[in-house]
Amino acid sequence: MLSSVLLDVAASGGNVGIGYGLGAVGAGLAALGAGIGIGQIGSGGLESMARQPEIMADLRTNMILAIAFVEGTSFFGMVIGLLVLLIK
């Protein structure tokens, strides 16, 4: 994908505007934010399981649900960032 963006920049004479850069930065920040969020969910879940092992099954279910929501929003952010890059 990067090569197609670079070829587009070369074809347009280097005058592509700030949208390409902001789209790439937005997609990267969405992925980075999801990684940090999932790490925090996992950290809190493992700490809670260590304190109260009897709630492990319920906690695991809630962690998976929370991780799915974080990933869904991050994928949405990455798609929007990539659409900015690919759609003129």
Side-chain angles (χ1 to χ4, degrees):
M1 184 181 85
L2 181 61
S3 62
S4 66
V5 171
L6 291 175
L7 288 173
D8 189 33
V9 170
S12 68
N15 189 12
V16 293
I18 197 167
Y20 280 105
L22 292 179
V25 168
L29 286 176
L32 182 67
I36 292 172
I38 290 171
Q40 291 292 322
I41 291 169
S43 171
L46 287 176
E47 187 175 326
S48 298
M49 286 180 201
R51 291 176 188 259
Q52 292 182 334
E54 64 273 4
I55 64 165
M56 190 178 341
D58 293 333
L59 190 60
R60 185 180 303 127
T61 304
N62 290 335
M63 280 177 49
I64 291 172
L65 185 63
I67 288 171
F69 286 138
V70 169
E71 282 190 22
T73 57
S74 70
F75 285 146
F76 182 71
M78 285 189 291
V79 165
I80 295 299
L82 293 174
L83 283 175
V84 169
L85 283 173
L86 300 176
I87 296 178
K88 296 178 184 183

